[in-house]
């Protein structure tokens, strides 16, 4: 299971310290197949850093070993959206598959395992990309094309600025609480919320999609599910005709013309599944 920490607001001066604390926590709990983090700069740039073979040193969030991927990693934070991920790989271990998953100008982190019959990966072999593609047009109804389970955070550009989606279905765990930066923190566990500076921590409601345009300004939508497959038609049992009917008597006589010519003893054989006597 991967672990995630999401903040709608954070102390910009403590960006690297917060990321380092989160990565140390992920490392201790076994999510060490890749670390990543996403934030926004004061001038609105999307910033991220990730590695599939990270080594935590005394100067995080810089990586020393393995594949690395980053953009604007030296940019400061605007103190707004912050997403941090620790990966336990369920598919190929690489920088491309390490979260954040990047595409369509957006970035996503995810815990869970998902599949889709209608959406196909474009850039990675990681199932998490399916969620990014489902939400790339801010269309929550596309989540109905996703099966499996998920909790995710995603930052996305809009015509008026950046927004962040936070969602969980009816299976994945995600906890939430207000933090000391006058925003909200979400985490896979209560401990993760505490690392994200949460003052309180409660389990998030099932099938909830929150879209934030600020630290606390948000809208709420329900996570849709695919309609269940139709139930198969019940097998209709054969209704035998009444023995008193002409059809039953004729059927019997036609089936057993030689064995039972006497109609008086035919009733005891009408339902029998005897082989036809060969002439």
């Amino acid at each position: 299971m991967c672990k995630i920490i999401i903040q709608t607001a954070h102390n910009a001066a403590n960006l690297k310290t917060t990321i380092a604390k989160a990565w140390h926590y992920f490392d201790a709990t076994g999510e060490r197949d890749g670390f990543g983090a996403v934030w926004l700069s004061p001038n609105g740039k999307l910033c991220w850093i990730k590695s599939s073979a990270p080594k935590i040193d005394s100067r995080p969030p810089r990586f020393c070993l393995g594949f690395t991927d980053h953009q604007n990693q030296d940019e400061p934070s605007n103190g707004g959206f912050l997403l941090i991920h620790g990966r336990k790989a369920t598919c190929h271990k690489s920088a491309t598959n390490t979260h954040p998953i990047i595409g369509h100008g957006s970035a996503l982190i995810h815990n869970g395992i998902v599949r889709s019959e209608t959406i196909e990966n474009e850039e990675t072999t990681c199932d998490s990309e399916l969620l990014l593609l489902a939400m790339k047009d801010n269309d929550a109804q596309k989540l109905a094309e996703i099966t499996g389970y998920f909790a995710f955070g995603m930052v996305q550009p809009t015509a008026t600025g950046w927004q962040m989606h936070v969602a969980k279905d009816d299976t994945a765990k995600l906890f939430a609480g207000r933090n000391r930066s006058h925003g909200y923190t979400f985490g896979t566990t209560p401990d993760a919320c505490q690392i994200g500076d949460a003052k309180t921590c409660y389990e998030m409601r099932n099938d909830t999609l929150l879209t934030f345009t600020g630290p606390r300004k948000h809208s709420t939508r329900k996570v849709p599910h695919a309609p269940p497959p139709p139930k198969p038609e019940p097998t209709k049992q054969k209704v035998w005709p009444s023995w008193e009917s002409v059809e039953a008597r004729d059927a019997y006589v036609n089936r057993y013309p030689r064995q039972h010519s006497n109609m008086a003893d035919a009733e005891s054989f009408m339902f029998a599944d005897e082989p036809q006597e060969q002439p």
Side-chain angles (χ1 to χ4, degrees):
M1 182 180 77
C2 300
K3 282 191 172 67
I4 59 179
I5 297 175
I6 303 167
Q7 291 181 275
T8 65
H10 64 280
N11 186 337
N14 292 337
L15 173 68
K16 293 184 177 182
T17 301
T18 301
I19 293 173
K21 287 172 60 179
W23 285 343
H24 279 291
Y25 169 63
F26 299 153
D27 183 68
T29 56
E31 290 75 29
R32 55 177 71 98
D33 291 331
F35 295 156
V38 182
W39 66 94
L40 298 173
S41 71
N43 57 2
K45 293 180 182 178
L46 182 66
C47 310
W48 77 79
I49 185 166
K50 60 180 178 176
S51 174
S52 61
K55 177 183 177 182
I56 302 175
D57 63 12
S58 60
R59 296 176 299 165
R62 298 183 183 278
F63 296 117
C64 301
L65 299 175
F67 304 105
T68 60
D69 189 8
H70 56 83
Q71 178 172 292
N72 303 319
Q73 66 170 335
D74 294 323
E75 290 278 346
S77 169
N78 67 357
F81 305 146
L82 174 61
L83 299 82
I84 314 174
H85 188 271
R87 187 181 187 217
K88 195 166 189 177
T90 56
C91 62
H92 181 59
K93 184 178 173 182
S94 68
T96 304
N97 286 345
T98 301
H99 300 212
I101 302 298
I102 307 296
H104 298 273
S106 304
L108 176 140
I109 64 173
H110 162 229
N111 172 43
I113 300 174
V114 294
R115 298 170 296 278
S116 178
E117 297 294 328
T118 57
I119 304 172
E120 296 182 354
N121 287 51
E122 294 179 351
E123 302 292 339
T124 76
T125 60
C126 183
D127 59 339
S128 303
E129 187 185 3
L130 301 174
L131 291 165
L132 185 145
L133 295 174
M135 289 295 297
K136 66 184 178 67
D137 297 320
N138 194 21
D139 183 5
Q141 291 304 311
K142 295 284 285 185
L143 292 176
E145 300 178 31
I146 301 290
T147 58
Y149 72 98
F150 59 79
F152 70 82
M154 175 180 175
V155 288
Q156 182 179 53
T158 70
T160 57
W162 289 91
Q163 65 181 8
M164 181 167 72
H165 305 297
V166 181
K168 75 175 293 292
D169 65 1
D170 57 0
T171 302
K173 291 290 186 182
L174 195 63
F175 295 83
R178 292 185 179 180
N179 62 35
R180 292 174 174 80
S181 297
H182 307 289
Y184 294 101
T185 294
F186 301 85
T188 313
T189 63
D191 288 341
C193 283
Q194 290 183 4
I195 290 172
D197 210 24
K199 296 185 292 185
T200 57
C201 183
Y202 306 96
E203 190 165 356
M204 187 172 162
R205 289 183 299 179
N206 289 341
D207 292 328
T208 300
L209 169 63
L210 305 173
T211 300
F212 288 87
T213 55
R216 293 174 65 174
K217 185 179 180 181
H218 68 276
S219 60
T220 304
R221 288 175 281 180
K222 189 172 180 63
V223 172
H225 289 273
K231 293 183 179 179
E233 291 288 335
T235 303
K236 294 183 178 180
Q237 295 183 347
K238 186 174 182 179
V239 179
W240 292 92
S242 169
W243 176 246
E244 301 299 327
S245 68
V246 175
E247 292 84 354
R249 290 172 179 269
D250 289 347
Y252 179 80
V253 171
N254 292 335
R255 183 174 183 184
Y256 303 107
R258 298 180 60 183
Q259 294 97 315
H260 305 292
S261 59
N262 184 354
M263 294 299 294
D265 67 351
E267 184 173 2
S268 63
F269 294 96
M270 69 172 293
F271 299 114
D273 191 18
E274 297 179 356
Q276 181 79 29
E277 181 180 305
Q278 299 297 321

